Amino acid sequence: MRAIKLQFTDKKYLDGLLNDAEFAANINYLNPYRLNDLNLALFDPITQHNALDSEVVILSKFARAIKNLFFPNTPHNIEFMNPIINQQKGGLIHNTERIIDSTDIQITDFSFTIRQ
């Protein structure tokens, strides 16, 4: 299971996404874990995905939800910060506004325990 950490630029985006029941149900299989006001860890359970596949899958889900929840009436789409194939996408932008400004991808296998 690969971990991906998303860093949001504003807590309103993360709050809004996690408070949307439909979106929360859509990402439930990724076992989202909120690290703090701006950071969310997700865990891709599909072991065949390589690191960049996991990032694209997760960011694509977030891009759709961000567009629908926060920018439904704008002509601009949500885009990857780095659209180059076979490179880390790094986050999401809308027009020129950064929404997710960094992604950390687990490259090697490791295990850890989250205590609450």
Side-chain angles (χ1 to χ4, degrees):
M1 189 177 312
R2 173 168 280 108
I4 306 284
K5 183 184 74 130
L6 307 179
Q7 181 173 331
F8 288 78
T9 57
D10 191 320
K11 88 183 236 33
K12 73 178 178 184
Y13 296 120
L14 185 51
D15 288 344
L17 289 165
L18 295 179
N19 289 328
D20 182 74
E22 184 178 338
F23 180 69
N26 189 23
I27 65 164
N28 189 48
Y29 81 98
L30 294 168
N31 297 310
Y33 181 78
R34 189 168 190 163
L35 301 168
N36 57 37
D37 284 346
L38 298 176
N39 292 285
L40 182 69
L42 301 125
F43 304 89
D44 185 355
I46 301 173
T47 57
Q48 293 82 8
H49 281 167
N50 72 34
L52 297 178
D53 290 342
S54 295
E55 182 195 32
V56 168
V57 167
I58 289 170
L59 286 177
S60 295
K61 287 182 173 295
F62 276 78
R64 250 181 263 113
I66 290 166
K67 175 66 174 168
N68 291 336
L69 291 171
F70 298 102
F71 306 104
N73 300 317
T74 67
H76 302 286
N77 288 320
I78 307 299
E79 299 175 352
F80 296 133
M81 286 177 39
N82 177 13
I84 308 298
I85 294 173
N86 293 327
Q87 290 184 9
Q88 187 171 345
K89 302 306 168 210
L92 297 172
I93 58 173
H94 174 260
N95 199 3
T96 58
E97 180 182 358
R98 288 180 178 218
I99 308 299
I100 297 174
D101 67 351
S102 72
T103 59
D104 293 327
I105 304 172
Q106 171 199 349
I107 300 300
T108 60
D109 290 333
F110 67 93
S111 62
F112 59 93
T113 302
I114 298 172
R115 293 193 169 92
Q116 297 183 24

Short mmCIF file of all heavy atoms in Angstrom, two decimals, residues 52-99:
data_model
loop_
_atom_site.label_atom_id
_atom_site.label_comp_id
_atom_site.label_asym_id
_atom_site.label_seq_id
_atom_site.Cartn_x
_atom_site.Cartn_y
_atom_site.Cartn_z
N LEU A 52 3.96 7.11 -9.58
CA LEU A 52 3.32 8.18 -10.36
C LEU A 52 1.87 7.85 -10.70
O LEU A 52 1.04 8.75 -10.76
CB LEU A 52 4.13 8.46 -11.62
CG LEU A 52 5.55 8.97 -11.37
CD1 LEU A 52 6.28 9.17 -12.70
CD2 LEU A 52 5.55 10.25 -10.57
N ASP A 53 1.55 6.57 -10.90
CA ASP A 53 0.16 6.17 -11.12
C ASP A 53 -0.69 6.50 -9.91
O ASP A 53 -1.80 7.02 -10.04
CB ASP A 53 0.05 4.67 -11.39
CG ASP A 53 0.61 4.24 -12.73
OD1 ASP A 53 0.79 5.11 -13.62
OD2 ASP A 53 0.89 3.04 -12.89
N SER A 54 -0.18 6.18 -8.73
CA SER A 54 -0.92 6.47 -7.50
C SER A 54 -1.20 7.96 -7.37
O SER A 54 -2.32 8.36 -7.04
CB SER A 54 -0.13 6.00 -6.27
OG SER A 54 0.01 4.60 -6.27
N GLU A 55 -0.20 8.77 -7.64
CA GLU A 55 -0.38 10.23 -7.55
C GLU A 55 -1.43 10.71 -8.53
O GLU A 55 -2.31 11.50 -8.17
CB GLU A 55 0.95 10.95 -7.79
CG GLU A 55 0.81 12.45 -7.64
CD GLU A 55 1.99 13.22 -8.21
OE1 GLU A 55 2.60 12.75 -9.20
OE2 GLU A 55 2.28 14.30 -7.66
N VAL A 56 -1.38 10.24 -9.77
CA VAL A 56 -2.34 10.68 -10.80
C VAL A 56 -3.77 10.26 -10.42
O VAL A 56 -4.70 11.06 -10.54
CB VAL A 56 -1.95 10.15 -12.19
CG1 VAL A 56 -3.08 10.33 -13.19
CG2 VAL A 56 -0.69 10.85 -12.68
N VAL A 57 -3.94 9.04 -9.96
CA VAL A 57 -5.27 8.56 -9.57
C VAL A 57 -5.84 9.44 -8.46
O VAL A 57 -6.97 9.92 -8.53
CB VAL A 57 -5.22 7.08 -9.12
CG1 VAL A 57 -6.49 6.67 -8.41
CG2 VAL A 57 -4.96 6.18 -10.31
N ILE A 58 -5.05 9.68 -7.44
CA ILE A 58 -5.52 10.47 -6.29
C ILE A 58 -5.77 11.92 -6.69
O ILE A 58 -6.82 12.49 -6.39
CB ILE A 58 -4.52 10.35 -5.13
CG1 ILE A 58 -4.62 8.94 -4.54
CG2 ILE A 58 -4.77 11.42 -4.07
CD1 ILE A 58 -3.54 8.59 -3.54
N LEU A 59 -4.83 12.54 -7.39
CA LEU A 59 -5.03 13.94 -7.78
C LEU A 59 -6.20 14.10 -8.74
O LEU A 59 -6.91 15.13 -8.68
CB LEU A 59 -3.75 14.51 -8.40
CG LEU A 59 -2.63 14.83 -7.43
CD1 LEU A 59 -1.39 15.33 -8.19
CD2 LEU A 59 -3.06 15.85 -6.38
N SER A 60 -6.46 13.14 -9.59
CA SER A 60 -7.61 13.22 -10.50
C SER A 60 -8.92 13.22 -9.73
O SER A 60 -9.84 13.98 -10.06
CB SER A 60 -7.58 12.06 -11.50
OG SER A 60 -6.45 12.18 -12.33
N LYS A 61 -9.03 12.38 -8.72
CA LYS A 61 -10.23 12.37 -7.87
C LYS A 61 -10.41 13.72 -7.19
O LYS A 61 -11.52 14.26 -7.13
CB LYS A 61 -10.14 11.27 -6.82
CG LYS A 61 -10.32 9.88 -7.36
CD LYS A 61 -10.28 8.87 -6.24
CE LYS A 61 -10.64 7.50 -6.75
NZ LYS A 61 -12.01 7.40 -7.23
N PHE A 62 -9.34 14.27 -6.68
CA PHE A 62 -9.40 15.56 -5.99
C PHE A 62 -9.71 16.69 -6.97
O PHE A 62 -10.46 17.60 -6.64
CB PHE A 62 -8.10 15.82 -5.21
CG PHE A 62 -8.10 15.17 -3.87
CD1 PHE A 62 -7.85 13.82 -3.74
CD2 PHE A 62 -8.39 15.90 -2.74
CE1 PHE A 62 -7.87 13.20 -2.50
CE2 PHE A 62 -8.42 15.31 -1.48
CZ PHE A 62 -8.16 13.95 -1.36
N ALA A 63 -9.16 16.64 -8.16
CA ALA A 63 -9.41 17.69 -9.16
C ALA A 63 -10.89 17.77 -9.50
O ALA A 63 -11.47 18.87 -9.56
CB ALA A 63 -8.59 17.43 -10.42
N ARG A 64 -11.53 16.62 -9.73
CA ARG A 64 -12.96 16.60 -10.04
C ARG A 64 -13.78 17.19 -8.91
O ARG A 64 -14.66 18.01 -9.13
CB ARG A 64 -13.41 15.17 -10.33
CG ARG A 64 -13.75 14.94 -11.78
CD ARG A 64 -14.22 13.52 -12.05
NE ARG A 64 -13.07 12.76 -12.54
CZ ARG A 64 -12.48 11.76 -11.90
NH1 ARG A 64 -12.92 11.31 -10.78
NH2 ARG A 64 -11.43 11.18 -12.43
N ALA A 65 -13.48 16.78 -7.69
CA ALA A 65 -14.23 17.26 -6.54
C ALA A 65 -14.01 18.75 -6.29
O ALA A 65 -14.96 19.49 -5.98
CB ALA A 65 -13.85 16.46 -5.31
N ILE A 66 -12.78 19.22 -6.43
CA ILE A 66 -12.49 20.64 -6.22
C ILE A 66 -13.23 21.49 -7.24
O ILE A 66 -13.83 22.51 -6.89
CB ILE A 66 -10.96 20.89 -6.29
CG1 ILE A 66 -10.28 20.27 -5.06
CG2 ILE A 66 -10.65 22.38 -6.41
CD1 ILE A 66 -8.77 20.16 -5.17
N LYS A 67 -13.22 21.07 -8.47
CA LYS A 67 -13.94 21.81 -9.53
C LYS A 67 -15.43 21.88 -9.18
O LYS A 67 -16.04 22.95 -9.24
CB LYS A 67 -13.71 21.14 -10.89
CG LYS A 67 -14.51 21.73 -12.03
CD LYS A 67 -14.11 23.15 -12.36
CE LYS A 67 -14.85 23.61 -13.61
NZ LYS A 67 -14.75 25.03 -13.84
N ASN A 68 -16.03 20.73 -8.83
CA ASN A 68 -17.46 20.69 -8.55
C ASN A 68 -17.85 21.47 -7.30
O ASN A 68 -18.89 22.13 -7.28
CB ASN A 68 -17.93 19.24 -8.40
CG ASN A 68 -17.89 18.50 -9.71
OD1 ASN A 68 -17.94 19.09 -10.78
ND2 ASN A 68 -17.78 17.19 -9.63
N LEU A 69 -17.03 21.42 -6.26
CA LEU A 69 -17.38 22.06 -4.99
C LEU A 69 -17.03 23.55 -4.93
O LEU A 69 -17.78 24.34 -4.37
CB LEU A 69 -16.69 21.35 -3.83
CG LEU A 69 -17.18 19.95 -3.50
CD1 LEU A 69 -16.27 19.29 -2.48
CD2 LEU A 69 -18.61 20.02 -2.97
N PHE A 70 -15.88 23.92 -5.48
CA PHE A 70 -15.39 25.28 -5.28
C PHE A 70 -15.43 26.17 -6.52
O PHE A 70 -15.50 27.38 -6.39
CB PHE A 70 -13.95 25.24 -4.74
CG PHE A 70 -13.83 24.57 -3.42
CD1 PHE A 70 -13.37 23.27 -3.32
CD2 PHE A 70 -14.20 25.23 -2.26
CE1 PHE A 70 -13.27 22.63 -2.10
CE2 PHE A 70 -14.11 24.61 -1.02
CZ PHE A 70 -13.64 23.30 -0.94
N PHE A 71 -15.38 25.58 -7.69
CA PHE A 71 -15.30 26.37 -8.92
C PHE A 71 -16.27 25.88 -10.00
O PHE A 71 -15.88 25.75 -11.16
CB PHE A 71 -13.87 26.35 -9.47
CG PHE A 71 -12.82 26.76 -8.47
CD1 PHE A 71 -12.01 25.82 -7.86
CD2 PHE A 71 -12.65 28.10 -8.14
CE1 PHE A 71 -11.05 26.19 -6.95
CE2 PHE A 71 -11.68 28.49 -7.22
CZ PHE A 71 -10.88 27.53 -6.62
N PRO A 72 -17.53 25.60 -9.66
CA PRO A 72 -18.43 24.99 -10.65
C PRO A 72 -18.78 25.90 -11.82
O PRO A 72 -19.11 25.41 -12.90
CB PRO A 72 -19.67 24.64 -9.84
CG PRO A 72 -19.66 25.62 -8.71
CD PRO A 72 -18.20 25.83 -8.39
N ASN A 73 -18.68 27.20 -11.64
CA ASN A 73 -19.13 28.13 -12.67
C ASN A 73 -18.01 28.87 -13.38
O ASN A 73 -18.26 29.86 -14.07
CB ASN A 73 -20.12 29.13 -12.06
CG ASN A 73 -21.33 28.43 -11.49
OD1 ASN A 73 -21.88 27.53 -12.11
ND2 ASN A 73 -21.73 28.83 -10.30
N THR A 74 -16.78 28.41 -13.21
CA THR A 74 -15.67 29.07 -13.90
C THR A 74 -15.32 28.29 -15.16
O THR A 74 -15.51 27.08 -15.23
CB THR A 74 -14.42 29.16 -13.00
OG1 THR A 74 -13.91 27.86 -12.78
CG2 THR A 74 -14.73 29.85 -11.68
N PRO A 75 -14.78 28.98 -16.16
CA PRO A 75 -14.39 28.28 -17.39
C PRO A 75 -13.09 27.50 -17.24
O PRO A 75 -12.73 26.71 -18.10
CB PRO A 75 -14.23 29.41 -18.40
CG PRO A 75 -13.88 30.60 -17.58
CD PRO A 75 -14.61 30.43 -16.27
N HIS A 76 -12.36 27.72 -16.15
CA HIS A 76 -11.06 27.07 -15.94
C HIS A 76 -11.24 25.70 -15.29
O HIS A 76 -12.06 25.54 -14.40
CB HIS A 76 -10.16 27.93 -15.06
CG HIS A 76 -9.93 29.29 -15.62
ND1 HIS A 76 -9.10 29.52 -16.69
CD2 HIS A 76 -10.43 30.49 -15.26
CE1 HIS A 76 -9.11 30.81 -16.97
NE2 HIS A 76 -9.90 31.42 -16.12
N ASN A 77 -10.46 24.75 -15.74
CA ASN A 77 -10.43 23.43 -15.12
C ASN A 77 -9.36 23.40 -14.05
O ASN A 77 -8.50 24.27 -13.97
CB ASN A 77 -10.15 22.36 -16.17
CG ASN A 77 -11.33 22.13 -17.06
OD1 ASN A 77 -12.47 22.12 -16.61
ND2 ASN A 77 -11.07 21.93 -18.35
N ILE A 78 -9.39 22.35 -13.26
CA ILE A 78 -8.32 22.10 -12.30
C ILE A 78 -7.25 21.33 -13.06
O ILE A 78 -7.54 20.37 -13.76
CB ILE A 78 -8.84 21.27 -11.10
CG1 ILE A 78 -10.07 21.92 -10.46
CG2 ILE A 78 -7.72 21.05 -10.08
CD1 ILE A 78 -9.85 23.30 -9.89
N GLU A 79 -6.01 21.75 -12.92
CA GLU A 79 -4.92 21.15 -13.69
C GLU A 79 -3.79 20.70 -12.78
O GLU A 79 -3.61 21.24 -11.69
CB GLU A 79 -4.38 22.17 -14.70
CG GLU A 79 -5.42 22.64 -15.69
CD GLU A 79 -4.90 23.75 -16.61
OE1 GLU A 79 -3.77 24.25 -16.38
OE2 GLU A 79 -5.61 24.09 -17.55
N PHE A 80 -3.01 19.75 -13.27
CA PHE A 80 -1.80 19.35 -12.57
C PHE A 80 -0.81 20.51 -12.62
O PHE A 80 -0.70 21.20 -13.64
CB PHE A 80 -1.14 18.13 -13.23
CG PHE A 80 -1.96 16.87 -13.18
CD1 PHE A 80 -2.12 16.12 -14.32
CD2 PHE A 80 -2.54 16.43 -12.00
CE1 PHE A 80 -2.85 14.94 -14.29
CE2 PHE A 80 -3.28 15.25 -11.96
CZ PHE A 80 -3.44 14.51 -13.11
N MET A 81 -0.04 20.68 -11.55
CA MET A 81 1.00 21.71 -11.56
C MET A 81 2.06 21.38 -12.61
O MET A 81 2.57 22.28 -13.27
CB MET A 81 1.63 21.87 -10.18
CG MET A 81 0.70 22.59 -9.22
SD MET A 81 1.32 22.74 -7.53
CE MET A 81 3.03 23.07 -7.68
N ASN A 82 2.36 20.11 -12.76
CA ASN A 82 3.34 19.68 -13.77
C ASN A 82 2.64 18.68 -14.69
O ASN A 82 2.48 17.52 -14.32
CB ASN A 82 4.56 19.04 -13.10
CG ASN A 82 5.55 18.53 -14.13
OD1 ASN A 82 5.48 18.85 -15.31
ND2 ASN A 82 6.49 17.72 -13.66
N PRO A 83 2.26 19.09 -15.90
CA PRO A 83 1.52 18.18 -16.79
C PRO A 83 2.39 17.22 -17.60
O PRO A 83 1.88 16.48 -18.43
CB PRO A 83 0.79 19.16 -17.71
CG PRO A 83 1.69 20.34 -17.79
CD PRO A 83 2.34 20.44 -16.43
N ILE A 84 3.69 17.20 -17.36
CA ILE A 84 4.60 16.36 -18.15
C ILE A 84 4.40 14.88 -17.79
O ILE A 84 4.39 14.51 -16.62
CB ILE A 84 6.07 16.76 -17.91
CG1 ILE A 84 6.29 18.26 -18.14
CG2 ILE A 84 7.01 15.91 -18.77
CD1 ILE A 84 6.00 18.73 -19.52
N ILE A 85 4.27 14.04 -18.82
CA ILE A 85 4.10 12.59 -18.63
C ILE A 85 5.34 12.01 -17.96
O ILE A 85 6.47 12.43 -18.24
CB ILE A 85 3.83 11.91 -19.99
CG1 ILE A 85 2.49 12.36 -20.54
CG2 ILE A 85 3.87 10.39 -19.86
CD1 ILE A 85 2.20 11.88 -21.94
N ASN A 86 5.12 11.02 -17.10
CA ASN A 86 6.18 10.30 -16.39
C ASN A 86 7.00 11.17 -15.45
O ASN A 86 8.16 10.87 -15.18
CB ASN A 86 7.11 9.56 -17.36
CG ASN A 86 6.40 8.43 -18.06
OD1 ASN A 86 5.52 7.80 -17.49
ND2 ASN A 86 6.77 8.18 -19.31
N GLN A 87 6.39 12.25 -14.98
CA GLN A 87 7.01 13.09 -13.95
C GLN A 87 5.98 13.34 -12.86
O GLN A 87 4.77 13.32 -13.11
CB GLN A 87 7.47 14.43 -14.52
CG GLN A 87 8.64 14.32 -15.45
CD GLN A 87 9.11 15.69 -15.91
OE1 GLN A 87 8.69 16.73 -15.42
NE2 GLN A 87 10.00 15.70 -16.89
N GLN A 88 6.46 13.58 -11.65
CA GLN A 88 5.57 13.86 -10.54
C GLN A 88 4.74 15.10 -10.85
O GLN A 88 5.25 16.09 -11.37
CB GLN A 88 6.38 14.05 -9.26
CG GLN A 88 5.50 14.17 -8.03
CD GLN A 88 6.31 14.13 -6.74
OE1 GLN A 88 7.47 13.74 -6.75
NE2 GLN A 88 5.68 14.51 -5.66
N LYS A 89 3.45 15.04 -10.55
CA LYS A 89 2.53 16.14 -10.86
C LYS A 89 2.65 17.28 -9.86
O LYS A 89 2.41 18.42 -10.19
CB LYS A 89 1.08 15.64 -10.93
CG LYS A 89 0.87 14.54 -11.95
CD LYS A 89 1.37 14.96 -13.31
CE LYS A 89 1.45 13.78 -14.27
NZ LYS A 89 2.47 13.93 -15.25
N GLY A 90 2.95 16.99 -8.62
CA GLY A 90 3.28 18.01 -7.64
C GLY A 90 2.12 18.74 -7.00
O GLY A 90 2.30 19.40 -5.99
N GLY A 91 0.93 18.66 -7.56
CA GLY A 91 -0.20 19.36 -6.97
C GLY A 91 -1.21 19.76 -8.02
O GLY A 91 -1.15 19.32 -9.17
N LEU A 92 -2.15 20.62 -7.59
CA LEU A 92 -3.23 21.06 -8.47
C LEU A 92 -3.38 22.58 -8.44
O LEU A 92 -3.20 23.20 -7.39
CB LEU A 92 -4.57 20.44 -8.03
CG LEU A 92 -4.67 18.92 -8.09
CD1 LEU A 92 -5.98 18.46 -7.44
CD2 LEU A 92 -4.59 18.43 -9.52
N ILE A 93 -3.73 23.15 -9.60
CA ILE A 93 -3.98 24.58 -9.69
C ILE A 93 -5.32 24.82 -10.40
O ILE A 93 -5.79 24.00 -11.17
CB ILE A 93 -2.86 25.34 -10.44
CG1 ILE A 93 -2.67 24.77 -11.86
CG2 ILE A 93 -1.57 25.29 -9.67
CD1 ILE A 93 -1.70 25.56 -12.71
N HIS A 94 -5.91 25.95 -10.07
CA HIS A 94 -7.11 26.43 -10.77
C HIS A 94 -6.77 27.82 -11.28
O HIS A 94 -6.50 28.72 -10.48
CB HIS A 94 -8.32 26.49 -9.82
CG HIS A 94 -9.51 27.10 -10.47
ND1 HIS A 94 -9.86 28.41 -10.26
CD2 HIS A 94 -10.42 26.59 -11.33
CE1 HIS A 94 -10.95 28.68 -10.96
NE2 HIS A 94 -11.30 27.59 -11.62
N ASN A 95 -6.78 27.98 -12.60
CA ASN A 95 -6.34 29.22 -13.21
C ASN A 95 -4.90 29.44 -12.76
O ASN A 95 -4.03 28.69 -13.16
CB ASN A 95 -7.29 30.36 -12.86
CG ASN A 95 -7.17 31.55 -13.79
OD1 ASN A 95 -6.42 31.53 -14.75
ND2 ASN A 95 -7.91 32.59 -13.51
N THR A 96 -4.60 30.40 -11.93
CA THR A 96 -3.23 30.57 -11.43
C THR A 96 -3.15 30.31 -9.92
O THR A 96 -2.09 30.46 -9.34
CB THR A 96 -2.72 31.99 -11.71
OG1 THR A 96 -3.60 32.94 -11.10
CG2 THR A 96 -2.64 32.26 -13.20
N GLU A 97 -4.26 29.91 -9.31
CA GLU A 97 -4.30 29.69 -7.86
C GLU A 97 -3.92 28.24 -7.53
O GLU A 97 -4.52 27.29 -8.03
CB GLU A 97 -5.70 29.98 -7.32
CG GLU A 97 -5.82 29.76 -5.84
CD GLU A 97 -7.23 30.01 -5.31
OE1 GLU A 97 -8.12 30.39 -6.10
OE2 GLU A 97 -7.43 29.80 -4.12
N ARG A 98 -2.93 28.10 -6.67
CA ARG A 98 -2.54 26.77 -6.21
C ARG A 98 -3.56 26.29 -5.17
O ARG A 98 -3.87 27.02 -4.24
CB ARG A 98 -1.16 26.78 -5.58
CG ARG A 98 -0.06 26.95 -6.59
CD ARG A 98 1.29 26.96 -5.92
NE ARG A 98 2.32 27.09 -6.92
CZ ARG A 98 3.48 26.46 -6.88
NH1 ARG A 98 3.76 25.68 -5.87
NH2 ARG A 98 4.35 26.63 -7.84
N ILE A 99 -4.03 25.08 -5.34
CA ILE A 99 -4.97 24.48 -4.39
C ILE A 99 -4.22 23.44 -3.55
O ILE A 99 -4.27 23.45 -2.33
CB ILE A 99 -6.16 23.81 -5.11
CG1 ILE A 99 -6.82 24.77 -6.10
CG2 ILE A 99 -7.15 23.24 -4.10
CD1 ILE A 99 -7.40 26.02 -5.50
#
